[in-house]
Amino acid sequence: MTLPILNLMPGDLPFRADPSDSYTLPARFYHDPAIWEHEKQAIFYRSWNYAGHVSQVAEPGAFLTVRIHEQNVFVARTRAGELKAFYNVCPHRGHELVSGTGRKNVITCPYHAWAFDFDGTLKSARNTETVKGFDKSQFSLKEVRVEVFCGLVLVNLDADAMPFAEQMGDLESEIRHYVPSVDDLQFAQRDTYEVEANWKVLVDNFLECYHCHPAHKDFVDLVDMDSYRTITSKYYSSQCAGNPKSLSNRAFSFQPGDVDFGYAGWYVWPNFTIWAYPGEANLSVLQMNPTAPERCVEFQDWFVKDGQVTDQLRDAINYQIDVLQPEDIGLCESVQKGLKSSGYNQGRFVVDAGKTELSEHAVHHFQNLVAEALGANLDPETGT
């Protein structure tokens, strides 16, 4: 059933397929609780969600957990070396089985001590030996789709979903072009940020550099903005720049290394981004996790060679933590406040003819994916 608020409402201006002739999504898409609830089923429970890095589950018994709204999932390496994912819930009475990351010999429920192997089978259940008709095979853990992509572990609650690599087209070749040693990287650290903004505000912000000159003066000293271009594909977009302006810049100093370009970033539907900074081999994922209509938690995971952060990479990470993230979070939280103002409903995409570094066409690309997934009808001329 389509929510009326997903359709064109009085006062709305058209959200069109052509980004150069379109207004933005109406503000209610960024704070209405009904739309936020609808996104769970329409977007997150049908999409590939980033869970962690394969180096975190390299050994048998190693596990990591990921929460997708109310759905909690864990990924584990089986004794045979296979990677499996399951709903993180005991089939006895619904207790959570594991939390965080770690390694176990067996998965034992903290509530009643039912024990499961890493292939999901129930190994023991206390005091069930004489329970009438009790069949262990009926209580295996429920499996979830899992894939590994350039070292990233991804899960999907939709059993019929298209494989991630197939869905993403040229994304893998692009990442390997910019970070040739991606297979040698290991998890180093996770940084967490609480943000008072809708998750889509943060994605919108990532997808344009129209704001970079006024808001990120250190970033534009690092990156050659004249060569910065954003290219959209079906379910992702790339934003890359050529050689950095200077090895010593206001952001951080580095020496040419495995990553010998200025900057490469990718947005991946629905809610995570991939980064590569110049210098030594590195990759990171910044994920926007919705926790409420106007709140989200951002996780940034860093992957470096052997999992050891060098002084050079520490400078890059500290720049992200101390400068760039606070700048972006401040911008996004201010936007979220403005989206509730009676003086605002929609803006206009700034899309120039050359789709330069100042163009907002990738923001439109993302908002169009959102509108399509939600079944929104916002163009009076087409009814879509």
Side-chain angles (χ1 to χ4, degrees), residues 61-320:
F63 69 90
L64 58 84
T65 58
V66 58
R67 183 176 294 278
I68 308 166
H69 285 283
E70 291 93 353
Q71 303 305 313
N72 199 348
V73 173
F74 77 90
V75 180
R77 183 73 63 179
T78 71
R79 301 180 197 281
E82 189 178 2
L83 204 61
K84 292 276 191 177
F86 303 96
Y87 284 96
N88 188 10
V89 61
C90 182
H92 173 221
R93 293 271 296 282
H95 197 281
E96 181 180 271
L97 292 169
V98 292
S99 60
T101 61
R103 189 178 180 190
K104 293 179 177 290
N105 291 322
V106 68
I107 300 166
T108 303
C109 178
Y111 197 8
H112 298 102
W114 281 30
F116 302 85
D117 206 346
F118 300 101
D119 61 1
T121 57
L122 176 62
K123 305 305 291 183
S124 65
R126 297 165 54 247
N127 199 37
T128 59
E129 294 81 5
T130 59
V131 173
K132 183 178 179 180
F134 187 84
D135 182 355
K136 285 183 181 179
S137 66
Q138 294 180 347
F139 296 96
S140 295
L141 302 181
K142 187 174 180 180
E143 199 162 347
V144 172
R145 290 274 301 280
V146 61
E147 291 187 11
V148 176
F149 178 88
C150 291
L152 309 182
V153 178
L154 302 138
V155 297
N156 197 319
L157 305 183
D158 182 359
D160 299 320
M162 179 187 297
F164 180 81
E166 182 180 343
Q167 190 177 87
M168 293 299 157
D170 293 332
L171 177 60
E172 179 172 2
S173 62
E174 290 184 26
I175 292 174
R176 293 185 180 279
H177 171 75
Y178 286 100
V179 189
S181 60
V182 65
D183 294 326
D184 299 328
L185 304 183
Q186 296 182 28
F187 175 82
Q189 70 181 58
R190 166 169 285 191
D191 303 315
T192 302
Y193 308 89
E194 300 273 351
V195 187
E196 294 185 4
N198 182 274
W199 67 279
K200 298 187 294 299
V201 171
L202 280 84
V203 175
D204 284 346
N205 178 75
F206 175 84
L207 286 169
E208 51 91 355
C209 225
Y210 191 30
H211 72 281
C212 288
H213 282 281
H216 298 315
K217 298 188 183 304
D218 293 345
F219 184 77
V220 299
D221 194 45
L222 167 71
V223 174
D224 176 21
M225 296 309 296
D226 290 338
S227 65
Y228 189 104
R229 291 294 182 272
T230 301
I231 300 173
T232 61
S233 301
K234 185 170 178 60
Y235 288 111
Y236 77 95
S237 61
S238 60
Q239 44 186 235
C240 303
N243 293 330
K245 286 183 177 179
S246 172
L247 302 183
S248 295
N249 56 81
R250 291 169 51 173
F252 57 89
S253 298
F254 62 94
Q255 293 298 318
D258 185 80
V259 182
D260 59 358
F261 54 91
Y263 167 78
W266 296 270
Y267 157 72
V268 183
W269 172 259
N271 69 325
F272 71 93
T273 62
I274 302 172
W275 305 53
Y277 274 135
E280 298 176 22
N282 73 95
L283 203 70
S284 69
V285 166
L286 181 65
Q287 184 182 40
M288 298 76 168
N289 298 280
T291 55
E294 297 182 73
R295 295 186 66 87
C296 71
V297 175
E298 285 189 307
F299 295 129
Q300 185 150 24
D301 289 352
W302 296 87
F303 321 118
V304 302
K305 188 175 181 181
D306 301 323
Q308 301 298 314
V309 178
T310 64
D311 290 342
Q312 175 181 298
L313 289 173
R314 177 59 60 195
D315 288 345
I317 292 172
N318 287 342
Y319 161 69
Q320 188 80 12

